[in-house]
């Protein structure tokens, strides 16, 4: 009976995530005297709806240069009429497509004595998923069940995305390029994902998921791009938004500790004040956005059983009570010099302070003998600052632009790790300190021009990135577990110049896009000559990264698209960092400076059927990756220590089918169902492992069928109340040398506008029934282990925001 009630409740309350609305199009052109070849000023240009009785849509007159602009033109077939005293009226049908925000109708020549001109066709369209079908956009404010949470929590509810160990996976791969306002930053990482579980969602306006990026974007991220758009206002006068969110997590203990350690965090507090302000007067717009997220979290509570071929069995627990304070802010100004030129200068600053209070007990199989107790304090401060300057020149033709930008990023990773190692025979206190400074300079020049049936983009980008690191081990006099010959200094140097061209062509029924990015990379990794295992290494390459898309509009309701992309995932500095990391006492992570990039070819076929109150979207995709980057677990001799070392693991394959069904069921209910199933395969491979001793490791082929299902339903209730409940099921999947088991969770949220729609109250709960547990199995050559992580997933939040 309870199960039946639960199922009925789920069906009744699920909600749809709001898809973006396709932006309207700006049309432009130029009117000439056909005989004199001179511009004609003050010519009347009128747009009419050709699907009705020539209903008037918009009208303008040309300027002194004969240029006209028709803005905010929505989808449909139109009739354009151009008239001027002494000249024959020009009249042609037009089709306006959704492929570009701007369309250039070219030059229209008026003659004193003209013949009827041939037809011209243009286009525009409003669709939940744009006609290109390569990008989906979500308003964070519409994700009611995750309001007041972090960016990672907001992302996990979106179609095609799953979250695992602080990272997002897009269609089964964590090789995702994460951008903020279209740029790579230290906050989210330049080659890996950083900080997504700490960035407050209150700072975010919307999230874009780009499965098939064009050559305009950086070539890394084989699974695609997630672009996080920060809030920014530019309205006249003084205005903004204030907000406050509070919450509690870890409401009860799901699994009790092993004996002899400190208690788990329970009833953990969360608080997130936020502000977004702007002041605009005449040619200057000042903007400011700031958020502070303080949380206490049961960050990890993993119970592991390790079994070795010699019969040894070890039971252990890794518990981390975490205190985090994350402050982020963005401020700057727009200077509208004139109608054609704009300069934007901005700065982004963030500071993340993390303190982990950890306990890791180790017991025998029967839990009768404590073999070791590892207790630690990890005190880490991550500071990032970015300065950006962007100049935009608009030519007289709308959409014809030149952008020049400069970005400088500095961030520091300052980590101090203190631990007490207690065994039956001794107690030792030790520590290690890490300083890593990252300095990145990006310079870019981008040019775009609308054409009669398409859009041209081209540009250049240069990056210089330097990361010096310094790891210092502070061992005890006796019985030290630290590998004292493996610390020291290293320096990561990366130079990347790239050029790109991307062209889009569109007619009434066909769309085509082709692009090419040429990228040169030179990476040097200089290692302390005293390091006991690794020497300096690096790589360089000059590679093309093409992209292509073709789309056919069957009719107004049906569209087919095909995509191709070639992309790269370069190993980030943390992947090749040579220092062993002891945040787990007996499962130790180590980088590998011999890592090379992995290259991926992606293919996709998409179909979309538009309904009156919804749509069906289907995508069949296939990815082939060469030199897959992963971590391989090994042991050394008779030791029970496990070392996770980065390696290139040969070829891997990912084939899947994604289905999205969106339907407005009634004036009250709407639903969105996302199903993503895929087949993962990693070919058999062998690698030479150098740490802690040199040996060859051979791994057999791994395969798995996996996927996820997400069902969302939005209820629009009386008094403007909206409720959302999201259900997520993640099927078992493969991980390096093992598998991760299925997971299931339900999130719920409700919100109501108040104060004449200037204010809003919301209440939500993530993992409503506390069902989400991470269960894994890993098999090495001489060992295997299973783990269950009962980390904090259930959080209740209450929030308020006010817009003025």
């Amino acid at each position: 009976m309870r199960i039946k009630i639960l199922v009925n409740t789920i069906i009744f309350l699920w909600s749809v995530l709001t898809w973006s609305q396709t932006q309207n199009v700006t049309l432009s052109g130029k009117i000439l005297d056909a005989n004199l070849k001179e511009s004609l000023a003050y010519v009347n240009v009128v747009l009419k709806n050709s699907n009705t009785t020539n209903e008037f849509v918009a009208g303008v007159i040309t300027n002194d240069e004969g240029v006209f602009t028709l803005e905010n033109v929505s989808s449909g077939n139109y009739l354009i009429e151009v008239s001027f005293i002494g000249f024959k009226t020009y009249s042609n049908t037009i089709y306006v497509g959704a492929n570009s925000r701007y369309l250039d109708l070219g030059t229209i020549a008026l003659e004193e004595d003209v013949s009827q001109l041939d037809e011209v066709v243009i286009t525009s369209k409003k669709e939940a998923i744009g006609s290109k079908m390569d990008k989906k956009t979500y308003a964070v404010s519409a994700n009611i069940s995750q309001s007041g949470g972090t960016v990672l929590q907001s992302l996990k509810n979106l179609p095609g995305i799953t979250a695992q160990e602080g990272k997002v996976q897009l269609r089964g791969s964590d090789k995702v390029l994460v951008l903020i306002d279209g740029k790579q930053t230290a906050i989210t990482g330049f080659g890996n994902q950083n900080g997504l579980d700490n960035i407050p969602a209150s700072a975010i306006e919307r999230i874009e998921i780009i499965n098939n990026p064009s050559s305009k974007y950086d070539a890394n991220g084989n699974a695609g791009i997630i672009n996080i758009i920060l809030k920014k206002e530019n309205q006249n006068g003084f205005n903004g938004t204030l907000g406050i969110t509070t919450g509690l997590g870890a409401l009860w203990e799901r699994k009790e500790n092993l004996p002899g350690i400190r208690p788990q965090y329970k009833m953990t507090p969360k608080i997130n004040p936020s502000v977004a302000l702007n002041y605009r007067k005449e040619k200057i717009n000042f903007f400011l956005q700031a958020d502070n997220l303080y949380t206490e979290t049961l960050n990890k509570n993993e119970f592991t059983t390790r079994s070795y071929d010699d019969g040894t069995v070890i039971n252990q627990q890794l518990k981390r009570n975490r205190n985090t304070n994350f402050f982020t802010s963005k401020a700057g100004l727009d200077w509208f010099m004139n109608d054609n030129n704009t300069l934007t200068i901005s700065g982004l600053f963030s500071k993340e302070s993390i303190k982990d209070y950890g306990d890791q007990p180790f017991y025998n199989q029967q839990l009768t003998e404590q073999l070791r107790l590892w207790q630690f304090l990890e005190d880490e401060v991550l500071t990032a600052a970015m300065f950006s300057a962007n100049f935009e020149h608009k030519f007289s033709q709308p959409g014809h632009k030149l952008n020049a930008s400069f970005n400088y990023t500095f961030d520091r990773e300052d980590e101090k790790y203190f631990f007490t190692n207690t065994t039956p025979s001794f107690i030792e206190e030790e520590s290690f300190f890490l300083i890593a400074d990252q300095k990145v300079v990006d310079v870019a020049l981008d040019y775009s021009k609308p054409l009669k049936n398409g859009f041209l983009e081209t540009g250049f980008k240069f990056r210089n990135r330097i990361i010096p690191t310094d790891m210092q081990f502070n061992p005890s006099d006796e019985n030290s577990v630290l590998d004292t010959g493996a610390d020291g200094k290293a320096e990561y140097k990366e130079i990347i110049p790239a050029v790109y061209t991307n062209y889009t062509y569109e007619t009434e029924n066909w769309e085509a896009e082709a692009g090419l990015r040429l990228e040169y990379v030179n990476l040097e990794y200089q290692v302390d000559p005293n390091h006991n295992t690794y020497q300096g290494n690096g790589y360089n390459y000059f590679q093309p990264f093409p992209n292509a898309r073709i789309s056919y509009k069957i009719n107004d309701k049906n569209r087919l698209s095909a995509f191709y992309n070639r992309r790269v995932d370069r190993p980030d500095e943390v992947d090749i960092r040579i220092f062993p990391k002891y945040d787990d006492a007996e499962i130790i992570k180590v980088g590998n400076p011999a890592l090379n990039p992995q290259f991926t070819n992606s293919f996709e076929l998409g179909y979309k059927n538009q309904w009156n109150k919804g749509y069906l979207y289907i995508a069949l995709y296939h990815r082939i990756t060469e030199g897959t980057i992963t971590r391989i677990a090994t042991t050394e001799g008779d030791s029970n220590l496990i070392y996770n070392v980065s390696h290139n693991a040969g070829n891997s394959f990912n084939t899947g089918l994604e289905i999205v069904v969106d339907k407005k069921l009634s004036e009250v209910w709407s639903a969105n169902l996302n199903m993503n199933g895929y087949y993962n395969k990693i070919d058999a491979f062998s690698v030479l492992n150098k740490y802690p001793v040199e040996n060859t490791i051979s791994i057999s082929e791994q395969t798995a069928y996996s996927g996820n299902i997400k069902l969302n339903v939005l209820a629009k209730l009386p008094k403007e109340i909206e409720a959302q409940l999201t259900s997520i099921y993640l099927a078992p999947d493969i991980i390096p040398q093992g598998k991760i088991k299925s997971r299931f969770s339900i999130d719920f949220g409700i919100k109501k506008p108040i104060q004449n729609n200037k204010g809003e109250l919301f209440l939500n709960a993530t993992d409503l029934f506390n069902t989400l547990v991470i269960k894994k199995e890993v098999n090495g050559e001489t060992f295997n282990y299973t783990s269950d992580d009962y980390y904090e997933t259930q959080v209740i939040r209450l929030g308020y925001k006010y817009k003025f």
Side-chain angles (χ1 to χ4, degrees), residues 658-696:
E658 182 179 14
I659 300 174
V660 179
V661 181
D662 185 279
K663 180 68 175 176
K664 185 176 181 180
L665 304 173
S666 69
E667 294 303 316
V668 175
W669 303 101
S670 53
N672 179 283
L673 175 65
N674 172 236
M675 296 173 287
N676 184 32
Y678 52 86
Y679 170 73
N680 277 343
K681 176 185 174 183
I682 302 176
D683 283 346
F685 64 93
S686 296
V687 294
L688 177 64
N689 185 61
K690 290 189 175 183
Y691 191 87
V693 295
E694 189 169 302
N695 64 323
T696 300

Side-chain angles (χ1 to χ4, degrees), residues 25 27 73-76 78 94-98 103 122-125:
V25 176
L27 308 180
V73 179
S74 59
S75 59
Y78 296 95
I94 303 178
Y95 169 71
V96 178
L103 287 178
I122 320 173
T123 313
S124 159
K125 205 175 179 186

